[in-house]
């Protein structure tokens, strides 16, 4: 019975050392007689008891690593309290086991030194504006060195950038002054645009008034010209009708009668005026001579 128990214990130890089940996304490094032999893949694996042993166990998942906060000095000699978080992944279990005694500490220290180096090349204002550039440069610097450790650095993110209180107050005052400056500039631009709009409106109104006055003058001139033309046409038509009437039978006698009537009317008006001295011709035949002279002129115009 005791022998059976001993054999059972030996078999259990043998199976425990010979059979290994590796979880998914894990890699176990096996040493045979103290020398690297290989890496076990996920699933069921068999080893040689008392000869092979699992020396290192690595997770192949993405690992977030909190980088401790540290003081960095910028290019313009300003102190900044900076902390971040680093994301990396084991890609080569053999290198992660033998490339460094502690790859996690190595990656952490390298992230801190790279961060101080990158921050030291930038001025204070640029550190807040160019976080993406800082993150990319830190990842590049760490990834080059981490290849020998079997680690792939995926990304780095700055969590906080905290300047001293004095610098923070100065930055707030600068921001306030900048906002006031922008407000004053905006107000002056508004007044400038208002004056431009007023001047433009006055200019357009003046142009519109001058165009209206010009059109009114043109219309008035055209109206006066049309009136003069109408009067001239009417006068010409009247003269033409008179000339035509004179050429008709009895026209000459009618003209003589009309001239005589006008002469009589003229003498009558002169006589009616109390302030006018009336001079009566000594020879009334002069009136007949006047009428004959007028008729002679009419006859001459007819002949021509």
């Amino acid at each position: 019975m005791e022998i059976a128990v001993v054999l059972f214990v030996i078999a259990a130890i043998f199976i425990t050392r010979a059979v290994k089940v590796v979880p998914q996304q894990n890699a176990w490094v096996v040493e045979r007689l103290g020398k690297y032999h290989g890496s076990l893949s996920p699933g069921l694996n068999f080893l040689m008891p008392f000869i092979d042993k699992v020396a290192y166990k690595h997770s192949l998942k993405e690992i977030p690593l909190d980088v401790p906060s540290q003081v960095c000095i910028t290019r313009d000699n300003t102190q900044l309290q900076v902390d971040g978080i680093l994301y990396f992944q084991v890609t080569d279990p053999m290198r992660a086991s033998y490339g460094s005694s502690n790859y996690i500490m190595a990656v952490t220290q390298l992230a801190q030194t790279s961060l101080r180096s990158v921050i030291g090349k930038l001025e204070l204002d640029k550190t807040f504006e160019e976080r993406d550039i800082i993150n990319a440069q830190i990842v590049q610097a760490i990834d080059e060195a981490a290849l020998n450790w079997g680690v792939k650095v995926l990304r780095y993110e700055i969590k906080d950038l905290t300047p001293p209180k004095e610098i923070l107050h100065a930055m707030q005052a600068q921001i306030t002054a900048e906002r006031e400056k922008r407000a004053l500039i905006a107000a002056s631009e508004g007044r400038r645009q208002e004056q431009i709009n007023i001047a433009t409106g006055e200019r357009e109104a003046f142009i519109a008034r001058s165009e209206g006055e010009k059109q009114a003058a043109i219309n008035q001139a055209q109206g006066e010209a049309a009136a003069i033309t109408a009067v001239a046409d009417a006068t010409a038509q009247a003269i033409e009708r008179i000339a035509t009437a004179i050429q008709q039978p009895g026209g000459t006698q009618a003209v003589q009668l009309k001239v005589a009537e006008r002469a009589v009317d003229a003498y009558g008006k002169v006589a009616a005026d109390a302030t006018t001295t009336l001079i009566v011709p000594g020879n009334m035949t002069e009136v007949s001579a006047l009428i004959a002279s007028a008729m002679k002129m009419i006859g001459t115009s007819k002949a021509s």
Side-chain angles (χ1 to χ4, degrees):
M1 183 66 181
E2 293 180 356
I3 296 175
V5 172
V6 172
L7 291 177
F8 178 77
V9 172
I10 293 174
I13 295 174
F14 183 87
I15 293 173
T16 302
R17 288 183 173 269
V19 179
K20 299 294 182 182
V21 178
V22 180
Q24 184 66 33
Q25 285 296 94
N26 282 266
W28 292 2
V29 175
V30 177
E31 292 181 351
R32 176 168 291 180
L33 299 177
K35 184 180 179 181
Y36 173 76
H37 177 66
S39 299
L40 301 181
S41 59
L44 183 63
N45 296 272
F46 297 96
L47 302 178
M48 295 181 65
F50 305 105
I51 296 177
D52 296 339
K53 78 169 183 177
V54 177
Y56 300 97
K57 296 180 179 180
H58 300 287
S59 173
L60 302 181
K61 298 177 183 179
E62 183 176 342
I63 301 173
L65 178 62
D66 191 13
V67 180
S69 177
Q70 62 177 333
V71 177
C72 301
I73 300 177
T74 62
R75 185 177 179 180
D76 50 356
N77 296 324
T78 303
Q79 294 183 352
L80 281 178
Q81 194 78 18
V82 187
D83 62 348
I85 184 168
L86 182 69
Y87 298 87
F88 69 95
Q89 186 178 21
V90 176
T91 56
D92 190 341
M94 189 272 288
R95 289 180 179 272
S97 302
Y98 304 104
S100 174
S101 60
N102 190 338
Y103 64 85
I104 294 179
M105 180 179 292
V107 169
T108 303
Q109 294 297 322
L110 186 58
Q112 289 183 313
T113 56
S114 300
L115 178 62
R116 287 195 296 268
S117 176
V118 174
I119 293 294
K121 298 177 182 178
L122 300 174
E123 295 181 355
L124 178 62
D125 294 338
K126 294 295 183 180
T127 58
F128 294 97
E129 299 174 0
E130 300 182 357
R131 285 196 178 192
D132 293 339
I133 297 177
I134 296 173
N135 296 335
Q137 291 180 354
I138 293 174
V139 170
Q140 182 179 2
I142 300 175
D143 197 35
E144 292 177 357
L147 290 176
N148 295 326
W149 306 332
V151 175
K152 173 66 176 177
V153 178
L154 302 177
R155 57 189 177 277
Y156 179 85
E157 296 291 339
I158 294 177
K159 292 195 296 184
D160 290 318
L161 284 171
T162 307
K165 293 183 179 180
E166 296 80 6
I167 300 298
L168 187 60
H169 291 325
M171 292 174 63
Q172 291 176 349
Q174 181 181 2
I175 292 173
T176 302
E178 187 68 24
R179 289 178 178 174
E180 292 177 352
K181 175 184 175 182
R182 289 199 296 266
L184 291 175
I185 293 175
S188 64
E189 288 292 334
R191 289 193 297 269
R192 174 175 173 270
Q193 189 62 40
E194 180 184 4
Q195 293 175 358
I196 291 174
N197 293 339
I198 292 174
T200 303
E202 292 178 351
R203 179 171 62 87
E204 292 178 354
F206 178 78
I207 293 174
R209 286 194 299 269
S210 63
E211 289 292 335
E213 294 174 355
K214 173 184 175 182
Q215 189 62 40
I218 292 173
N219 293 339
Q220 183 179 1
Q222 291 177 348
E224 293 177 354
I228 293 172
T229 303
V231 172
D233 291 340
T235 304
Q237 290 178 1
I239 294 174
E240 182 179 357
R241 290 180 181 179
I242 293 172
T244 303
I246 292 173
Q247 292 177 359
Q248 297 298 324
T252 303
Q253 291 80 5
V255 171
Q256 292 176 356
L257 178 60
K258 192 67 176 176
V259 171
E261 290 178 353
R262 289 292 179 90
V264 173
D265 290 339
Y267 279 113
K269 289 180 180 180
V270 173
D273 191 355
T275 60
T276 305
T277 303
L278 179 62
I279 301 174
V280 179
N283 187 4
M284 292 300 295
T285 57
E286 292 180 0
V287 177
S288 300
L290 178 61
I291 294 172
S293 178
M295 293 306 298
K296 184 178 182 181
M297 291 178 61
I298 291 174
T300 303
S301 61
K302 286 173 63 177
S304 62

PDB file of all heavy atoms in Angstrom, residues 142-154:
ATOM      1  N   ILE A 142      11.613  55.465 -27.597  1.00  0.00           N
ATOM      2  CA  ILE A 142      11.542  54.249 -26.782  1.00  0.00           C
ATOM      3  C   ILE A 142      11.523  53.005 -27.665  1.00  0.00           C
ATOM      4  O   ILE A 142      12.164  51.992 -27.349  1.00  0.00           O
ATOM      5  CB  ILE A 142      10.288  54.284 -25.885  1.00  0.00           C
ATOM      6  CG1 ILE A 142      10.326  55.501 -24.958  1.00  0.00           C
ATOM      7  CG2 ILE A 142      10.178  53.019 -25.051  1.00  0.00           C
ATOM      8  CD1 ILE A 142       9.072  55.678 -24.133  1.00  0.00           C
ATOM      9  N   ASP A 143      10.808  53.069 -28.768  1.00  0.00           N
ATOM     10  CA  ASP A 143      10.640  51.888 -29.613  1.00  0.00           C
ATOM     11  C   ASP A 143      11.963  51.416 -30.200  1.00  0.00           C
ATOM     12  O   ASP A 143      12.187  50.211 -30.364  1.00  0.00           O
ATOM     13  CB  ASP A 143       9.642  52.203 -30.723  1.00  0.00           C
ATOM     14  CG  ASP A 143       9.112  50.935 -31.372  1.00  0.00           C
ATOM     15  OD1 ASP A 143       8.939  49.940 -30.655  1.00  0.00           O
ATOM     16  OD2 ASP A 143       8.865  50.950 -32.585  1.00  0.00           O
ATOM     17  N   GLU A 144      12.853  52.347 -30.517  1.00  0.00           N
ATOM     18  CA  GLU A 144      14.160  51.958 -31.070  1.00  0.00           C
ATOM     19  C   GLU A 144      14.977  51.156 -30.065  1.00  0.00           C
ATOM     20  O   GLU A 144      15.648  50.186 -30.427  1.00  0.00           O
ATOM     21  CB  GLU A 144      14.921  53.209 -31.507  1.00  0.00           C
ATOM     22  CG  GLU A 144      14.296  53.920 -32.709  1.00  0.00           C
ATOM     23  CD  GLU A 144      15.029  55.196 -33.058  1.00  0.00           C
ATOM     24  OE1 GLU A 144      15.979  55.548 -32.313  1.00  0.00           O
ATOM     25  OE2 GLU A 144      14.671  55.843 -34.050  1.00  0.00           O
ATOM     26  N   ALA A 145      14.937  51.556 -28.797  1.00  0.00           N
ATOM     27  CA  ALA A 145      15.702  50.841 -27.774  1.00  0.00           C
ATOM     28  C   ALA A 145      15.004  49.581 -27.302  1.00  0.00           C
ATOM     29  O   ALA A 145      15.650  48.606 -26.899  1.00  0.00           O
ATOM     30  CB  ALA A 145      15.958  51.771 -26.585  1.00  0.00           C
ATOM     31  N   ALA A 146      13.664  49.569 -27.351  1.00  0.00           N
ATOM     32  CA  ALA A 146      12.905  48.438 -26.814  1.00  0.00           C
ATOM     33  C   ALA A 146      12.922  47.228 -27.723  1.00  0.00           C
ATOM     34  O   ALA A 146      12.478  46.145 -27.309  1.00  0.00           O
ATOM     35  CB  ALA A 146      11.458  48.870 -26.560  1.00  0.00           C
ATOM     36  N   LEU A 147      13.455  47.361 -28.949  1.00  0.00           N
ATOM     37  CA  LEU A 147      13.525  46.203 -29.834  1.00  0.00           C
ATOM     38  C   LEU A 147      14.414  45.106 -29.249  1.00  0.00           C
ATOM     39  O   LEU A 147      14.145  43.904 -29.408  1.00  0.00           O
ATOM     40  CB  LEU A 147      14.046  46.642 -31.213  1.00  0.00           C
ATOM     41  CG  LEU A 147      13.102  47.503 -32.061  1.00  0.00           C
ATOM     42  CD1 LEU A 147      13.785  47.937 -33.344  1.00  0.00           C
ATOM     43  CD2 LEU A 147      11.820  46.744 -32.375  1.00  0.00           C
ATOM     44  N   ASN A 148      15.483  45.500 -28.557  1.00  0.00           N
ATOM     45  CA  ASN A 148      16.392  44.519 -27.948  1.00  0.00           C
ATOM     46  C   ASN A 148      15.777  43.858 -26.719  1.00  0.00           C
ATOM     47  O   ASN A 148      16.334  42.880 -26.204  1.00  0.00           O
ATOM     48  CB  ASN A 148      17.714  45.180 -27.555  1.00  0.00           C
ATOM     49  CG  ASN A 148      18.483  45.677 -28.772  1.00  0.00           C
ATOM     50  OD1 ASN A 148      18.429  45.063 -29.850  1.00  0.00           O
ATOM     51  ND2 ASN A 148      19.189  46.786 -28.615  1.00  0.00           N
ATOM     52  N   TRP A 149      14.674  44.404 -26.243  1.00  0.00           N
ATOM     53  CA  TRP A 149      14.014  43.846 -25.062  1.00  0.00           C
ATOM     54  C   TRP A 149      12.794  43.017 -25.440  1.00  0.00           C
ATOM     55  O   TRP A 149      12.069  42.545 -24.564  1.00  0.00           O
ATOM     56  CB  TRP A 149      13.580  44.959 -24.104  1.00  0.00           C
ATOM     57  CG  TRP A 149      14.697  45.877 -23.718  1.00  0.00           C
ATOM     58  CD1 TRP A 149      16.027  45.570 -23.664  1.00  0.00           C
ATOM     59  CD2 TRP A 149      14.604  47.250 -23.363  1.00  0.00           C
ATOM     60  NE1 TRP A 149      16.777  46.655 -23.296  1.00  0.00           N
ATOM     61  CE2 TRP A 149      15.923  47.720 -23.091  1.00  0.00           C
ATOM     62  CE3 TRP A 149      13.553  48.144 -23.222  1.00  0.00           C
ATOM     63  CZ2 TRP A 149      16.201  49.018 -22.712  1.00  0.00           C
ATOM     64  CZ3 TRP A 149      13.822  49.436 -22.836  1.00  0.00           C
ATOM     65  CH2 TRP A 149      15.137  49.875 -22.584  1.00  0.00           C
ATOM     66  N   GLY A 150      12.548  42.848 -26.739  1.00  0.00           N
ATOM     67  CA  GLY A 150      11.396  42.083 -27.184  1.00  0.00           C
ATOM     68  C   GLY A 150      10.071  42.772 -26.928  1.00  0.00           C
ATOM     69  O   GLY A 150       9.034  42.111 -26.798  1.00  0.00           O
ATOM     70  N   VAL A 151      10.082  44.113 -26.858  1.00  0.00           N
ATOM     71  CA  VAL A 151       8.900  44.897 -26.513  1.00  0.00           C
ATOM     72  C   VAL A 151       8.602  45.857 -27.664  1.00  0.00           C
ATOM     73  O   VAL A 151       9.521  46.472 -28.218  1.00  0.00           O
ATOM     74  CB  VAL A 151       9.111  45.658 -25.195  1.00  0.00           C
ATOM     75  CG1 VAL A 151       7.933  46.567 -24.906  1.00  0.00           C
ATOM     76  CG2 VAL A 151       9.310  44.681 -24.050  1.00  0.00           C
ATOM     77  N   LYS A 152       7.338  46.010 -27.987  1.00  0.00           N
ATOM     78  CA  LYS A 152       6.886  46.961 -28.988  1.00  0.00           C
ATOM     79  C   LYS A 152       6.092  48.054 -28.281  1.00  0.00           C
ATOM     80  O   LYS A 152       5.048  47.788 -27.671  1.00  0.00           O
ATOM     81  CB  LYS A 152       6.004  46.261 -30.025  1.00  0.00           C
ATOM     82  CG  LYS A 152       5.345  47.195 -31.031  1.00  0.00           C
ATOM     83  CD  LYS A 152       6.372  47.868 -31.925  1.00  0.00           C
ATOM     84  CE  LYS A 152       5.687  48.726 -32.984  1.00  0.00           C
ATOM     85  NZ  LYS A 152       6.676  49.447 -33.818  1.00  0.00           N
ATOM     86  N   VAL A 153       6.581  49.301 -28.363  1.00  0.00           N
ATOM     87  CA  VAL A 153       5.888  50.439 -27.762  1.00  0.00           C
ATOM     88  C   VAL A 153       4.821  50.910 -28.746  1.00  0.00           C
ATOM     89  O   VAL A 153       5.125  51.264 -29.891  1.00  0.00           O
ATOM     90  CB  VAL A 153       6.863  51.574 -27.425  1.00  0.00           C
ATOM     91  CG1 VAL A 153       6.105  52.761 -26.850  1.00  0.00           C
ATOM     92  CG2 VAL A 153       7.907  51.086 -26.436  1.00  0.00           C
ATOM     93  N   LEU A 154       3.580  50.931 -28.316  1.00  0.00           N
ATOM     94  CA  LEU A 154       2.464  51.266 -29.194  1.00  0.00           C
ATOM     95  C   LEU A 154       2.162  52.761 -29.183  1.00  0.00           C
ATOM     96  O   LEU A 154       2.048  53.383 -30.229  1.00  0.00           O
ATOM     97  CB  LEU A 154       1.222  50.467 -28.782  1.00  0.00           C
ATOM     98  CG  LEU A 154       1.405  48.947 -28.810  1.00  0.00           C
ATOM     99  CD1 LEU A 154       0.154  48.256 -28.316  1.00  0.00           C
ATOM    100  CD2 LEU A 154       1.767  48.468 -30.206  1.00  0.00           C
TER     101      LEU A 154
END
